[in-house]
Amino acid sequence: MLTRRTFLAAAAASLLFSSVATAQYKAEYTVSTVLPSAFPWGQAADKWVELVHERSEGRINMKIYSNSQLVSGDQTKEFSAMRSGLIDMAVGSTINWSPQVPELNLFSLPFLMPDYGAIDAITQGEAGEAIFAAIEKRGVTPLAWGENGFRELSNSKHPVTRPDDVKGLKIRVVGSPLFQDTFATLGANPTQMSWADAKPALTTGAVDGQENPLSVFDVARIDQVGQEHLTLWHYMADPLIFAVSNRVWNQFSAEDQALLKQAAIDAGEWEIKKSRAEVADTLAAIKARGVQVTELTDEQRQAFVDATQPVYEKWTKRIGEQLVQQAQQAVADSQR
Ligand code: X2X
């Protein structure tokens, strides 16, 4: 029979145990992002932090460090820093993590995803699961998807309607060598640099062009550094991934893991919906500022699709043939 005394002792022990368990939690977890709160990306991270704080009743606190400051501005080091535990958590772009997770180059294959339905078909299906497994295998626990957006091409020289127009342009690219290949295949002169270095390079004319989602072009006022020509070619879109270093993840209780994951899913869904809904207004604002916007006809777009095919030959092997096939099938199904 449970006496009052043993009951009290057990209660005290469980109290002690739970306070020890929570004491193992950090007072604050670091969350790395590239873009801050003015951008959908930063807003996705803000939302996650807010939901976790609210739902854990203040037990789990996260602080966002934007502009890749935890990796001294080098966004391609974010994944390694998370894996080694220097960063606890991140909301990061597939592009920036692809040097460490080759499978993430899938999304950078030119013209793989024609529309939002195609992105969702990949992220929400088997291919998405395979990608999350690849991330986990490399020391980071992925929780949910967000979205940076379809990346469009801008430059300071002339309108781009055909692959020939890209020839000789110095283009700032980010992250993975795949981008070097895509632009080199088009005859451009690509230079890899971080986001921190991109705007200065555009300002001085060290580069002629860049590629980023409309939200980034708009909020960062890329037109003010001479980028007068913008071509909507939708050649790729980079999803965002909410993730936690495995070292930190394993310290959370199962309930708190579920809480962190559900909050990330909710924040991601919220951000994807919001950023897609804002695209039309963003484009109107960009046009209103005098940027010359070129929308490609199907035929013009096809010329870019054809010209970039060699990138698939080289990169399908590195990404994984099965994964590329799975993704292509998912896209094809989504277009029916
Ligand atoms: O550096 C970029 O172009 C950005 C901000 O879009 C990414 O981090 C992928």
Side-chain angles (χ1 to χ4, degrees):
M1 203 177 97
L2 201 64
T3 63
R4 190 179 148 76
R5 188 183 283 177
T6 48
F7 175 77
L8 281 178
S14 90
L15 201 75
L16 188 72
F17 179 74
S18 69
S19 71
V20 167
T22 39
Q24 282 172 354
Y25 283 17
K26 294 187 186 181
E28 198 168 80
Y29 292 91
T30 55
V31 182
S32 175
T33 68
V34 177
L35 299 178
S37 301
F39 300 83
W41 186 336
Q43 291 156 18
D46 289 345
K47 191 67 159 184
W48 188 27
V49 170
E50 187 187 302
L51 292 176
V52 169
H53 181 80
E54 205 176 279
R55 294 176 187 176
S56 71
E57 294 172 336
R59 282 182 307 107
I60 304 173
N61 295 295
M62 296 140 75
K63 184 168 178 205
I64 299 170
Y65 294 82
S66 55
N67 296 312
S68 325
Q69 59 186 286
L70 297 175
V71 280
S72 311
D74 187 350
Q75 63 219 56
T76 61
K77 301 238 160 73
E78 190 177 60
F79 190 89
S80 309
M82 206 177 2
R83 177 167 54 195
S84 65
L86 287 173
I87 293 175
D88 298 322
M89 308 178 181
V91 180
S93 161
T94 53
I95 300 175
N96 297 331
W97 297 355
S98 60
Q100 291 82 33
V101 188
E103 290 85 350
L104 290 176
N105 283 295
L106 175 75
F107 298 101
S108 306
L109 285 172
F111 305 102
L112 171 68
M113 304 175 294
D115 52 26
Y116 293 132
I119 303 177
D120 295 343
I122 295 178
T123 58
Q124 303 308 314
E126 275 182 354
E129 276 172 31
I131 287 166
F132 270 18
I135 292 173
E136 200 161 350
K137 207 175 74 195
R138 292 184 178 81
V140 168
T141 302
L143 304 180
W145 299 93
E147 192 159 281
N148 195 17
F150 275 104
R151 301 176 75 91
E152 317 293 6
L153 180 66
S154 74
N155 83 93
S156 59
K157 300 287 186 199
H158 51 241
V160 168
T161 57
R162 330 163 276 163
D164 255 8
D165 298 328
V166 184
K167 283 220 164 86
L169 288 179
K170 283 178 276 173
I171 308 285
R172 174 269 172 176
V173 294
V174 63
S176 159
L178 189 154
F179 288 83
Q180 304 266 6
D181 289 344
T182 299
F183 284 91
T185 299
L186 291 170
N189 187 356
T191 313
Q192 194 194 322
M193 65 181 77
S194 69
W195 172 244
D197 293 336
K199 210 166 168 187
L202 292 165
T203 308
T204 61
V207 292
D208 305 317
Q210 63 88 45
E211 46 76 60
N212 249 300
L214 292 179
S215 63
V216 179
F217 187 95
D218 179 42
V219 177
R221 292 290 192 269
I222 297 296
D223 52 298
Q224 286 176 7
V225 291
Q227 297 290 289
E228 287 165 33
H229 307 282
L230 181 62
T231 295
L232 306 183
W233 65 342
H234 313 313
Y235 85 126
M236 66 139 317
D238 49 330
L240 301 174
I241 297 174
F242 296 71
V244 180
S245 169
N246 281 359
R247 291 169 188 251
V248 172
W249 184 247
N250 297 330
Q251 293 167 7
F252 285 111
S253 68
E255 294 83 53
D256 286 337
Q257 287 179 345
L259 187 157
L260 280 156
K261 186 175 167 94
Q262 192 56 52
I265 290 171
D266 295 344
E269 282 174 358
W270 172 84
E271 183 262 343
I272 290 171
K273 205 165 153 201
K274 179 170 186 279
S275 62
R276 289 179 186 178
E278 284 170 356
V279 165
D281 284 351
T282 303
L283 181 59
I286 291 169
K287 285 181 178 165
R289 291 206 302 275
V291 175
Q292 198 182 335
V293 176
T294 303
E295 307 204 25
L296 300 179
T297 63
D298 289 349
E299 211 173 302
Q300 285 172 330
R301 189 168 183 274
Q302 191 57 42
F304 284 98
V305 175
D306 295 342
T308 52
Q309 278 312 296
V311 176
Y312 280 74
E313 277 140 47
K314 180 163 169 192
W315 281 87
T316 298
K317 272 208 190 71
R318 299 192 188 179
I319 295 165
E321 283 178 37
Q322 198 195 344
L323 179 59
V324 173
Q325 265 170 23
Q326 259 173 355
Q328 283 172 327
Q329 189 58 52
V331 171
D333 292 346
S334 76
Q335 304 297 304
R336 288 211 182 109

